[in-house]
Amino acid sequence: MSSPSWPGCVTDRRALIGGLLAVMLVRPTAATPEALEEAILDFTKGTAPQVGGVVLDIPPLVENGNTVPVSVEVESPMTEAEHVRAIGLFNERNPLPHVLTAKLGPWSGEARIGTRIRLSNTQRLVAVAAMSDGSYRFGEAQVIVTLAACVEG
Amino acid sequence: MRQLAAAALAALTLGAAPRSGFETMTPELQAMQRDDLANPGMLYVADGEALWAQEGCGSCHAVAAMRGVAARYPALDAASQTPIDLTDRIAQCREARQGKPALPPEAAPMLALAAFVAHQSRGMPLQPDAQLEGARRQGEALFRERRGQLNLSCAQCHDDNAGRKLAGSTIPEGHANGYPLYRLEWQGLGSLQRRLRNCIAGVRSEPYPPGAPEYVALEAYLAARARGLVVESPAVRP
Amino acid sequence: MARTLLRVPATVTRGEVVEIRTLIQHPMETGFRSGENGRMLSRDIIRRFTCLYNNRPVFEAELHPAIAANPYLTFTLRVDESGILAFTWEGDNGFSQTETRTLTVA
């Protein structure tokens, strides 16, 4: 998944010497929105999540998809009566739709987790929160992944 | 001759102040480098600290004496009168002074030791070794020499086009003030020589064989060219 | 033993919510990548992370190959009493490692 076979540094010398390319090359691959939806419904046991209350913080543009910082924060008082039970993070275009699922509870104090993920290319990410009342909420983000230059091999 | 050399060094510093590759990274990557718990390079520094004790480096050196050392490398080796880099020096201590078998220069233990030593100089300004004038000049010539199927010199990218985009990447000025560093592309810690090999292969040219004197010459020029920058080891780069 | 870095506040006031940050050295080989000989490298990832606070689970995460090499995880915890935090990472090829830290309520 780590940049499997990007070209070396640059392939078009003239483009470099001339205006120098300001273009962003994005690797097209087959999207798998169905797999994403399936993974989410598996997490919610078939319930459709409602949008809102889940903030997915991720840079809109990343320089290298191998390590992308991301955090998820869910609005919740995190009390015994009303809290977030779990957070699931899913992606659209990696080989697998799952990224991370985390279990939390009122003892967490806040519903906030952070990690670093791999993104094979430009895509959509979805974070789903399982609430203590049995409902599910979600938030999403779109990320543009650019290619690394001057890589090995 | 000496004077000329000094003038050349001064001229290097007269231009615009060098900008570290740190400056052109996104705020997220800058934050990753700055925060010791987020910076994955610190895992290797911790490995190096353990190795320092395990390998008996402490029997001849106080850790505090390593402060500022990396900022002066590459340096002239008094015995052989040849320029050597930090990894060469550590290898010399191990092989010649401790009589131990050589460590592969880019395998984990050597990288970790170098990262631990270099980390002791973090925040200190580079102090290129003035005795390396010959190597620096050879390095500068190599830096300006066109190479590879793309027929590009280092200078064409790192002097003439720094700040512009190449595919998705911003071309940095190409300073070597953060090595060994954690490159996200490598998903691990790597040496400056590995970085140079990537750039040489990038223009479809055959990298010099491992340990070739050309690397140390380029390193000597890069150090002079980065004068004014501080050591960032272990830096994080895309 | 894999190298870990942990950030846990040394002293905390009762009822305070603290952020705990963890980093562990691990390649997180995805199983979707080919090695030098062109053959697929088999998957080698950390699959599970748990944090126990005085033996009670307070955070659990299931990791997938999309988690970056050298996994970094942060989470929060409301601290009501002094105690011991135990962090465990488990994964493929029998990987298992536990680290502990003391939390003191001032």
Side-chain angles (χ1 to χ4, degrees), chain B residues 45-90:
Chain B
V45 170
D47 277 348
E49 183 173 15
L51 280 169
W52 175 275
Q54 232 169 287
E55 296 287 323
C57 311
S59 62
C60 294
H61 304 287
V63 173
M66 290 294 123
R67 215 176 133 61
V69 170
R72 294 190 269 104
Y73 273 70
L76 192 72
D77 178 43
S80 64
Q81 286 295 304
T82 53
I84 61 171
D85 65 16
L86 191 60
T87 305
D88 296 332
R89 177 68 85 201
I90 295 172

Side-chain angles (χ1 to χ4, degrees), chain C residues 32-93:
Chain C
F32 299 113
R33 226 167 54 123
S34 44
E36 268 167 22
N37 56 10
R39 230 179 305 146
M40 281 305 218
L41 297 166
S42 55
R43 191 186 82 170
D44 180 16
I45 67 167
I46 291 175
R47 291 193 306 260
R48 225 171 108 79
F49 170 78
T50 50
C51 175
L52 303 185
Y53 180 35
N54 289 338
N55 286 323
R56 195 171 74 121
V58 289
F59 184 76
E60 252 180 80
E62 205 181 305
L63 281 63
H64 295 270
I67 295 295
N70 301 313
Y72 175 74
L73 280 173
T74 69
F75 56 96
T76 56
L77 178 64
R78 175 179 290 119
V79 181
D80 294 319
E81 55 182 0
S82 296
I84 306 229
L85 285 165
F87 305 90
T88 302
W89 296 260
E90 293 163 285
D92 295 337
N93 304 314

Side-chain angles (χ1 to χ4, degrees), chain A residues 54-59 70-73 89-90 117 124-128 139-143:
Chain A
V54 179
V55 177
L56 216 177
D57 190 16
I58 188 161
V70 50
S71 71
V72 179
E73 188 159 6
L89 183 60
F90 305 92
I117 67 173
R124 189 163 71 107
L125 275 176
V126 181
V128 184
E140 57 183 326
Q142 185 74 31
V143 190

Side-chain angles (χ1 to χ4, degrees), chain B residues 182-223:
Chain B
Y182 192 91
R183 190 173 177 209
L184 304 189
E185 180 56 30
W186 296 331
Q187 307 190 63
L189 196 78
S191 69
L192 175 55
Q193 293 199 5
R194 182 172 179 192
R195 171 71 257 189
L196 298 182
R197 284 202 308 272
N198 286 187
C199 275
I200 294 171
V203 294
R204 311 252 191 281
S205 173
E206 187 61 37
Y208 306 110
E214 282 86 353
Y215 289 114
V216 181
L218 275 169
E219 288 174 49
Y221 175 62
L222 289 174

Side-chain angles (χ1 to χ4, degrees), chain B residues 131-168:
Chain B
Q131 291 170 281
L132 293 195
E133 189 45 28
R136 187 194 68 73
R137 267 196 286 164
Q138 188 201 348
E140 178 165 7
L142 293 170
F143 196 81
R144 304 199 176 287
E145 179 182 287
R146 287 169 172 250
R147 70 185 72 230
Q149 277 175 35
L150 301 181
N151 195 30
L152 282 171
S153 71
C154 318
Q156 278 173 294
C157 279
H158 293 300
D159 285 345
D160 306 344
N161 284 302
R164 306 237 204 130
K165 291 279 188 187
L166 178 58

Side-chain angles (χ1 to χ4, degrees), chain A residues 35-108:
Chain A
L36 170 64
E37 196 180 315
E38 210 171 291
I40 292 174
L41 288 177
D42 187 46
F43 178 74
T44 64
K45 308 205 167 55
T47 312
Q50 302 299 305
V51 71
V54 179
V55 177
L56 216 177
D57 190 16
I58 188 161
L61 187 110
V62 305
E63 299 136 289
N64 189 305
N66 282 342
T67 308
V68 184
V70 50
S71 71
V72 179
E73 188 159 6
V74 186
E75 247 173 66
S76 165
M78 293 306 270
T79 58
E80 207 54 60
E82 194 182 344
H83 57 264
V84 176
R85 290 184 293 119
I87 296 174
L89 183 60
F90 305 92
N91 76 87
E92 191 179 33
R93 286 182 173 211
N94 284 353
L96 294 172
H98 300 91
V99 178
L100 180 90
T101 48
K103 284 191 198 159
L104 32 172
W107 53 82
S108 302

Side-chain angles (χ1 to χ4, degrees), chain A residues 1-3 6-13 16-25 58-64 66-69 116 118 146-153, chain B residues 24-26 28-29 32 37-40 146 149-152 156-157 161 164-171 182-187 194-195 197-199 201-204 238:
Chain A
M1 190 173 339
S2 107
S3 320
W6 321 132
C9 229
V10 56
T11 34
D12 185 348
R13 188 179 116 75
L16 175 74
I17 299 304
L20 237 126
L21 20 145
V23 285
M24 252 148 26
L25 302 176
I58 188 161
L61 187 110
V62 305
E63 299 136 289
N64 189 305
N66 282 342
T67 308
V68 184
R116 296 200 287 237
R118 293 174 165 136
T146 62
L147 296 190
C150 301
V151 303
E152 269 147 19
Chain B
T24 41
M25 299 197 299
T26 56
E28 290 82 14
L29 287 192
M32 197 186 295
L37 207 114
N39 183 338
R146 287 169 172 250
Q149 277 175 35
L150 301 181
N151 195 30
L152 282 171
Q156 278 173 294
C157 279
N161 284 302
R164 306 237 204 130
K165 291 279 188 187
L166 178 58
S169 306
T170 302
I171 302 181
Y182 192 91
R183 190 173 177 209
L184 304 189
E185 180 56 30
W186 296 331
Q187 307 190 63
R194 182 172 179 192
R195 171 71 257 189
R197 284 202 308 272
N198 286 187
C199 275
V203 294
R204 311 252 191 281

